[in-house]
Amino acid sequence: MKRKVYIETSVVSYYTGRASRDVVIAGHQQSTQEFWLQLSGELLPYVSALVVKEAGRGDPELARNRLEAINSFPVLSTTPEAERLARDILSAHGIPEEYPEDALHISVAAIGGMDLIVTWNFSRINDPFTKMMIRQAVENAGYGCPEIVSPDAFLGDKT
């Protein structure tokens, strides 16, 4: 059974970004490249209208590359229901109030029935305390909460 995966904007950026000399960023880019190869197998990739909007910002060449990378993925819409859930996540302090887009990524994925959210955002989405608060807010609102992981979660021993 294929798992539905919400690809957050940071992952798209690492996938299409210019090669970095920073060791950590280069490692994230490599992990993302390897993760991307798995999207045609047991994973069904999705993005949201918010990801498309964010991917289209900035340097025109890089924006074009980001948008091309996700152009075949189904796009989840932002609905009033998702906006309400995002407000619930913010009110529960799952995401800091100054980052409502991060709460919206999570709410769109939850309402869209995603199994996983893949992100490199460790500061506001993918850390243990934040994930606990997010899960509680989403479940208290009556939805299933997708697991939040980085592309590294898909790397394993391939021998």
Side-chain angles (χ1 to χ4, degrees), residues 6-147:
Y6 180 89
I7 310 295
E8 189 263 337
T9 315
S10 62
V11 176
V12 181
S13 294
Y14 275 105
Y15 177 67
T16 60
R18 294 182 180 108
S20 177
R21 290 188 287 199
D22 179 284
V23 174
V24 173
I25 293 172
H28 287 177
Q29 288 174 322
Q30 181 62 40
S31 294
T32 303
Q33 294 289 326
E34 293 178 31
F35 160 71
W36 212 267
L37 294 174
Q38 297 182 38
L39 293 180
S40 60
E42 292 301 309
L43 304 175
L44 292 172
Y46 288 78
V47 294
S48 66
L50 178 58
V51 170
V52 173
K53 179 180 175 182
E54 291 175 343
R57 293 181 184 153
D59 177 279
E61 178 186 350
L62 294 175
R64 185 173 43 259
N65 292 343
R66 288 189 295 268
L67 292 171
E68 284 177 15
I70 60 175
N71 72 354
S72 66
F73 298 168
V75 178
L76 302 171
S77 298
T78 300
T79 63
E81 184 180 14
E83 290 172 350
R84 275 192 302 279
L85 180 56
R87 285 191 299 274
D88 290 346
I89 292 168
L90 293 168
S91 295
H93 306 291
I95 298 289
E97 288 185 15
E98 58 269 21
Y99 300 103
E101 298 86 6
D102 291 341
L104 192 55
H105 282 297
I106 295 159
S107 66
V108 168
I111 289 170
M114 299 294 105
D115 298 305
L116 301 160
I117 297 172
V118 183
T119 182
W120 282 115
N121 185 337
F122 290 110
S123 62
R124 295 184 305 274
I125 297 176
N126 192 10
D127 76 46
F129 181 72
T130 300
K131 289 195 294 190
M132 179 183 68
M133 298 298 288
I134 290 167
R135 177 170 299 286
Q136 186 175 26
V138 171
E139 290 177 353
N140 285 347
Y143 301 96
C145 188
E147 291 296 320

